[in-house]
Amino acid sequence: MDFLYFNVLGFFCYSVFNLSFFLSEEIQDEYRQRNNGQNNLVRANDVFFAVHAFLISSFTLSQTFTYTKDENQRISSPAKLLICASIIGAFLATLAVEFQFAMWIDLMYYLSYVKLLISIIKYLPQAWINFRRKSTVGWSIHNILLDFTGGTLSVAQLLLDSYLSGDWSGVSGDPVKFGLGFVSIAFDLLFMTQHYILYRDRTDYYLSSVDEERRRLIVEGRVPREEDVE
């Protein structure tokens, strides 16, 4: 559940960041003031990615309120604390802007850093679970492969845009895009190492134990065979 809530909050923050950099003239002017008159490198595909991810994450989270789930499946206290702290931080940053201690672009950067922090945190539990179980059975690698591809292309686009514009401040001007790509690539490489190298045994010991127990009960005559039931 923590993962779902983190995704919604993270992609909401990232959507606001990208939309403001792409559409807001005020944010764009503030960016130019800080980067020697250069334009930011947020593109339409960055906006689409963030908004699309937010909508899909929100839809996925909404399903937990509709479909049956285990009573123990609830958001944890540390996750609640982090989410509340992020919201309070955004409120304080807004007050700082209103009282002219900061600029609107600073609030946008704050939201982007929230997304970066959440991305780091949300990967850690799965990496730890894989390590503790010494197995990746029951967990799909396909999303990781797609994530790795997206992270690589995202970083490549940012570097290519900076190169073509002759302005490498575009990287420092959007550190979270570079950071998200780097974090995704790093964790994806870790997950691929776990899946393809360290824990290559694909035996599902839980299902194996269930099948073995059923066979024992059939031999003892305590459970009918399938052909007998038919």
Side-chain angles (χ1 to χ4, degrees):
M1 293 297 293
D2 292 357
F3 183 86
L4 299 179
Y5 280 94
F6 282 154
N7 264 345
V8 171
L9 175 62
F11 283 120
F12 172 78
C13 292
Y14 200 45
S15 294
V16 174
F17 171 82
N18 281 315
L19 283 168
S20 65
F21 268 59
F22 188 70
L23 298 175
S24 172
E25 293 186 4
E26 182 175 1
I27 297 296
Q28 293 171 2
D29 288 339
E30 292 178 358
Y31 181 90
R32 295 188 192 98
Q33 293 174 25
R34 294 189 177 183
N35 293 275
N36 301 317
Q38 298 291 334
N39 293 320
N40 72 73
L41 296 179
V42 173
R43 301 291 185 253
N45 62 289
D46 298 313
V47 176
F48 176 80
F49 163 74
V51 174
H52 172 265
F54 169 68
L55 293 176
I56 294 298
S57 298
S58 299
F59 174 71
T60 303
L61 179 61
S62 70
Q63 291 180 317
T64 65
F65 299 101
T66 303
Y67 301 125
T68 303
K69 62 178 183 293
D70 190 276
E71 61 180 11
N72 294 322
Q73 287 182 293
R74 58 171 64 95
I75 185 172
S76 67
S77 296
K80 290 180 181 178
L81 181 62
L82 177 60
I83 292 173
C84 289
S86 300
I87 295 173
I88 293 173
F91 175 73
L92 294 177
T94 303
L95 288 180
V97 174
E98 290 293 337
F99 288 99
Q100 299 183 348
F101 291 110
M103 303 171 70
W104 284 112
I105 194 173
D106 296 313
L107 174 60
M108 298 304 108
Y109 277 129
Y110 168 80
L111 294 177
S112 69
Y113 290 133
V114 169
K115 166 56 182 167
L116 180 59
L117 175 62
I118 285 176
S119 292
I120 295 173
I121 292 175
K122 75 177 185 180
Y123 283 114
L124 291 173
Q126 187 63 58
W128 170 249
I129 289 174
N130 292 345
F131 170 75
R132 188 177 62 182
R133 295 174 61 232
K134 299 295 186 292
S135 172
T136 59
V137 171
W139 168 79
S140 175
I141 191 64
H142 300 103
N143 186 57
I144 297 302
L145 298 177
L146 293 173
D147 193 51
F148 177 77
T149 303
T152 302
L153 293 176
S154 178
V155 172
Q157 180 205 10
L158 182 60
L159 296 177
L160 184 60
D161 283 343
S162 297
Y163 171 76
L164 293 176
S165 65
D167 174 34
W168 292 99
S169 66
V171 177
S172 60
D174 191 358
V176 169
K177 181 176 181 178
F178 183 80
L180 287 174
F182 178 79
V183 168
S184 295
I185 292 171
F187 274 101
D188 291 339
L189 288 174
L190 171 61
F191 288 134
M192 286 188 281
T193 300
Q194 289 180 324
H195 186 75
Y196 291 114
I197 300 176
L198 298 179
Y199 315 131
R200 298 171 61 184
D201 185 0
R202 300 290 183 263
T203 303
D204 191 327
Y205 292 101
Y206 173 76
L207 292 180
S208 297
S209 63
V210 171
D211 290 339
E212 183 178 345
E213 178 67 11
R214 178 174 175 78
R215 285 193 295 269
R216 184 181 66 81
L217 293 175
I218 290 175
V219 170
E220 295 177 358
R222 298 166 62 183
V223 173
R225 294 176 298 177
E226 293 182 0
E227 54 267 28
D228 294 338
V229 174
E230 295 176 356

